Amino acid sequence: MASLSVSRHNHLLSGLLPARHKPTSRPTRVRMSLRDDGPSIAVVGVTGAVGQEFLSVLSDRDFPYRSIKMLASQRSAGRRITFEDRDYVVEELTADSFDGVDIALFSAGGSISKKFGPAAVDRGTVVVDNSSAFRMDEKVPLVIPEVNPEAMQHIKAGTGKGALIANPNCSTIICLMAATPLHRRAKVLRMVVSTYQAASGAGAAAMEELELQTREVLEGKPPTCKIFNRQYAFNLFSHNASVLSNGYNEEEMKMVKETRKIWNDKDVKVTATCIRVPVMRAHAESVNLQFENPLDEDTARDILKNAPGVVVIDDRESNHFPTPLEVSNKDDVAVGRIRQDLSQDGNQGLDIFVCGDQIRKGAALNAIQIAEMLL
C-alpha cells in the first residue's frame, strides 16, 4: 500500500532547488495544533500538489484541529499519509464524508467541487474551495485575506451553518497582493498584466513532465508530451486554458472578472496575457497600472514595504529584483522593478514586477488564511 509523508517535500514540490537553497529541517517542537477545542477539518484532494501543500501550511502555522480527514478519489483511497507524526488512511470522497466536519479545504478540480461542495455545506461544513467552480457566484465570497476580508465576515466555522468561500485564481492572488495597496492609495483605473506561469499551476503531473522533458532534451531524446501536447522544457507558450470567442483564454478572463469582484469595482479595466514558462512552482507577473490620482514611485515603494504579505526586492544598483526561485516555498509575494510609466503623463502610472509561489500563496496558504479567519 502506497504511503506519503508530509514531513518531507519531494524534490518537485521543493521547486528543484539546489541543496543549499532547500528548506532546512525544523527543530523538533511540541505540536499545539491537535487539540480538543479546535475545529474538525477535511482535506479534499489530499494526494495532489495543493492538497499536500494544505497539510504543510496547516503544520507550519500550527492550525488548531481536533480531527482531520484525508479525502481523495477512489483511486487514491487506502494510501497512507503521515502528518504531524500520526498515520492516516486516505478515504474515498463521498457526500457522507462531511458529517461532523467544520471546515473542508477543497482542491480536487471544479467538477468535484460542484458535486461535493454543496453536499458539504448541507451538512453544516464551511467549504474553502480552490477551484473556479464558485468564484463568480454572486452569493459566494471570493477572498484574499489581506485584500478583502470583509467579504466573509459573516461566516464562522462550528456554528452548524455551512457556507462556500472561493479561493481566487493563483495569478489573481499574486497580482492583487501587490496592486491592492497601491489601488487603495491612488485608485487603479486600468491594469495590464503579463504572466509567466509555472508548471505547478497545472498540477503535480505537469511538474513531473517538465523535469522528465528537461532530462530527455538534454540527452537528445524526443520529449514526452502528455500534459501540454508540446515541448515545455526550454520553451514557453500561451497558457493552455481554452481560448474564448473574444480571443482571450479562460485564465486571462479569470484575472479580469476576479479582480473586479474582489475589488468590488465593475468599472476597473483589466487586460491580461498569460504565458506558461518552464519554471517549477512560482509565477511571475509584469503589471502596468494607471491611476486616477497621482502616485510617485518612491511613495509606491514605501506603501509596498509596509503591505502585509509583501516583500520588496528592488535593488537597481545590483540589478536584483524578484525571481521565481527566490519566492519558491515562501509565503510572501515579492515586488520589484517599481518605476514610473514613461508613457503616461505625470505620476499617473507605474510598472511593477511580481513573483509569488503558486502552490503556497497562490493556493494553499491563501486557503488556510481564510480558514484561520473562520475560527
Side-chain angles (χ1 to χ4, degrees), residues 302-316:
D302 288 340
I303 290 170
L304 291 168
K305 284 179 179 177
N306 290 289
V310 173
V311 60
V312 173
I313 304 175
D314 199 44
D315 186 346
R316 295 178 181 178

Side-chain angles (χ1 to χ4, degrees), residues 72-117:
S73 66
Q74 183 180 29
R75 186 179 67 251
S76 296
R79 294 180 67 181
R80 294 187 178 277
I81 288 180
T82 301
F83 175 61
E84 295 198 334
D85 302 321
R86 292 173 179 264
D87 292 330
Y88 297 86
V89 176
V90 176
E91 303 174 36
E92 181 182 353
L93 174 64
T94 69
D96 295 331
S97 298
F98 303 100
D99 289 338
V101 172
D102 296 315
I103 301 171
L105 304 168
F106 272 64
S107 189
S111 61
I112 296 297
S113 293
K114 287 177 182 177
K115 181 177 180 180
F116 291 103

Side-chain angles (χ1 to χ4, degrees), residues 38 80 92 123 131 152 276 323 343 369:
R80 294 187 178 277
E92 181 182 353
R123 285 163 170 76
S131 80
M152 56 168 286
R276 195 68 85 179
T323 67
S343 71
Q369 289 175 308

Side-chain angles (χ1 to χ4, degrees), residues 46-211:
V46 70
T47 57
V50 175
Q52 286 292 289
E53 199 73 14
F54 278 152
L55 298 182
S56 178
V57 177
L58 286 168
S59 183
D60 288 347
R61 295 175 73 87
D62 280 334
F63 186 92
Y65 63 94
R66 70 176 181 272
S67 65
I68 182 168
K69 283 186 177 182
M70 309 293 184
L71 302 173
S73 66
Q74 183 180 29
R75 186 179 67 251
S76 296
R79 294 180 67 181
R80 294 187 178 277
I81 288 180
T82 301
F83 175 61
E84 295 198 334
D85 302 321
R86 292 173 179 264
D87 292 330
Y88 297 86
V89 176
V90 176
E91 303 174 36
E92 181 182 353
L93 174 64
T94 69
D96 295 331
S97 298
F98 303 100
D99 289 338
V101 172
D102 296 315
I103 301 171
L105 304 168
F106 272 64
S107 189
S111 61
I112 296 297
S113 293
K114 287 177 182 177
K115 181 177 180 180
F116 291 103
V121 171
D122 288 344
R123 285 163 170 76
T125 303
V126 178
V127 172
V128 183
D129 180 43
N130 192 53
S131 80
S132 61
F134 305 106
R135 287 176 186 156
M136 299 315 299
D137 187 323
E138 291 182 1
K139 298 177 182 177
V140 176
L142 183 64
V143 177
I144 305 172
E146 296 91 342
V147 174
N148 63 331
E150 68 283 351
M152 56 168 286
Q153 62 185 3
H154 59 292
I155 302 173
K156 291 295 177 185
T159 64
K161 186 177 180 181
L164 282 163
I165 302 171
N167 218 28
N169 182 49
C170 49
S171 298
T172 306
I173 293 174
I174 291 166
C175 176
L176 296 192
M177 283 292 293
T180 300
L182 306 178
H183 175 58
R184 287 173 178 153
R185 171 64 69 92
K187 186 173 174 53
V188 172
L189 298 177
R190 183 170 185 260
M191 181 165 67
V192 181
V193 186
S194 297
T195 72
Y196 314 94
Q197 296 184 220
S200 57
M207 299 168 75
E208 291 166 2
E209 185 162 290
L210 174 57
E211 183 186 17

Side-chain angles (χ1 to χ4, degrees), residues 186-254:
K187 186 173 174 53
V188 172
L189 298 177
R190 183 170 185 260
M191 181 165 67
V192 181
V193 186
S194 297
T195 72
Y196 314 94
Q197 296 184 220
S200 57
M207 299 168 75
E208 291 166 2
E209 185 162 290
L210 174 57
E211 183 186 17
L212 173 62
Q213 282 193 11
T214 302
R215 288 199 185 102
E216 290 171 335
V217 172
L218 289 174
E219 292 170 1
K221 300 176 182 177
T224 301
C225 302
K226 294 180 180 178
I227 305 301
F228 297 117
N229 297 318
R230 70 189 73 197
Q231 182 175 322
Y232 190 13
F234 307 101
N235 192 22
L236 52 83
F237 48 86
S238 181
H239 193 281
N240 48 292
S242 299
V243 179
L244 307 174
S245 60
N246 63 1
Y248 285 74
N249 63 43
E250 289 179 350
E251 185 80 359
E252 292 157 354
M253 289 310 299
K254 286 176 186 177

Side-chain angles (χ1 to χ4, degrees), residues 2 40 68 133 158 160 217 268 276 284 339 370 372:
S40 58
I68 182 168
V217 172
V268 64
R276 195 68 85 179
R339 63 202 189 278
I370 289 172
E372 289 171 345

